[in-house]
């Protein structure tokens, strides 16, 4: 917190992030990504993060209270990675998607948008071409949703 908020900096990229397109051919690493994202150090399946979901719920409530349009987006992942996602995570994702949609939150699931390898740098990151294509598609979709909301 101190380095991010209290110490003056010209840039906060190390904390906020930045985009630099990955310009490489697909690297099949879905098993490594699965291990990194879903397993604990002892090799057992990590539970779904209920504190993380609670934080997301607080963001949803804040946006509703402040009348801020919120879009929850599941970005594209490679078919091999998606096939490894544990059923408990899939079920919780589906449950939360239904809850948020019922609450009026825009949920855009594009995790299965791009089949094959050509638009991916690895199993859970698009390459530069894929990122540009996804950004354009998402921008157009969000504009369409916003237009629909404004007309109502």
């Amino acid at each position: 917190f101190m380095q991010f908020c209290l110490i003056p900096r010209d840039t906060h990229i190390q904390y906020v992030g930045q985009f630099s397109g990955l310009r490489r051919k697909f690297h099949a690493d879905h098993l490594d990504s699965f291990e990194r994202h879903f397993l604990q150090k002892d090799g057992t399946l990590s539970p779904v993060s209920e504190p993380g979901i609670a934080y997301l719920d607080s963001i949803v409530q804040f946006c509703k209270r402040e009348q801020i349009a919120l879009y929850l987006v599941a970005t594209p992942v490679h078919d091999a990675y998606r096939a490894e996602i544990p059923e408990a995570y899939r079920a919780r994702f589906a449950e939360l998607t239904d809850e948020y949609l019922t609450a009026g939150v825009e949920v855009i699931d594009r995790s299965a948008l791009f089949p094959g390898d050509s638009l991916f740098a690895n199993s859970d990151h698009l390459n530069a071409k894929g990122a540009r294509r996804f950004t354009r598609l998402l921008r157009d979709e969000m504009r369409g949703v916003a237009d629909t909301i404004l007309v109502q």
Side-chain angles (χ1 to χ4, degrees):
F1 172 78
M2 182 183 293
Q3 289 182 341
F4 183 73
C5 295
L6 301 179
I7 299 173
R9 302 245 188 235
D10 291 337
T11 179
H12 289 283
I13 289 173
Q14 71 186 64
Y15 302 106
V16 178
Q18 69 178 13
F19 174 76
S20 59
L22 299 172
R23 300 183 196 293
R24 63 179 187 212
K25 290 186 178 187
F26 177 69
H27 171 68
D29 66 345
H30 64 281
L31 295 177
D32 292 334
S33 294
F34 166 79
E35 185 176 311
R36 188 173 60 254
H37 295 151
F38 299 108
L39 297 183
Q40 298 185 63
K41 291 183 189 217
D42 66 3
T44 60
L45 185 65
S46 294
V48 173
S49 174
E50 293 304 324
I53 293 169
Y55 284 124
L56 180 57
D57 286 341
S58 68
I59 293 168
V60 168
Q61 293 308 313
F62 174 82
C63 290
K64 282 186 95 155
R65 186 175 62 249
E66 299 298 321
Q67 299 180 336
I68 298 169
L70 176 64
Y71 298 84
L72 301 178
V73 180
T75 58
V77 294
H78 192 272
D79 297 333
Y81 175 84
R82 200 172 45 265
E84 296 292 332
I85 298 173
E87 182 54 38
Y89 285 77
R90 293 172 189 265
R92 191 69 171 110
F93 179 80
E95 186 180 302
L96 288 168
T97 297
D98 289 343
E99 286 178 27
Y100 291 135
L101 287 170
T102 300
V105 176
E106 290 295 329
V107 179
I108 302 172
D109 180 7
R110 297 298 172 260
S111 58
L113 182 63
F114 299 135
D117 301 343
S118 67
L119 298 176
F120 289 92
N122 60 24
S123 63
D124 58 335
H125 294 95
L126 294 168
N127 60 26
K129 181 179 178 181
R132 281 191 303 275
R133 184 174 293 175
F134 179 64
T135 299
R136 285 191 300 268
L137 291 169
L138 184 61
R139 177 199 61 207
D140 293 346
E141 186 169 356
M142 290 175 71
R143 283 181 179 162
V145 169
D147 290 346
T148 302
I149 292 170
L150 292 174
V151 169
Q152 292 177 351

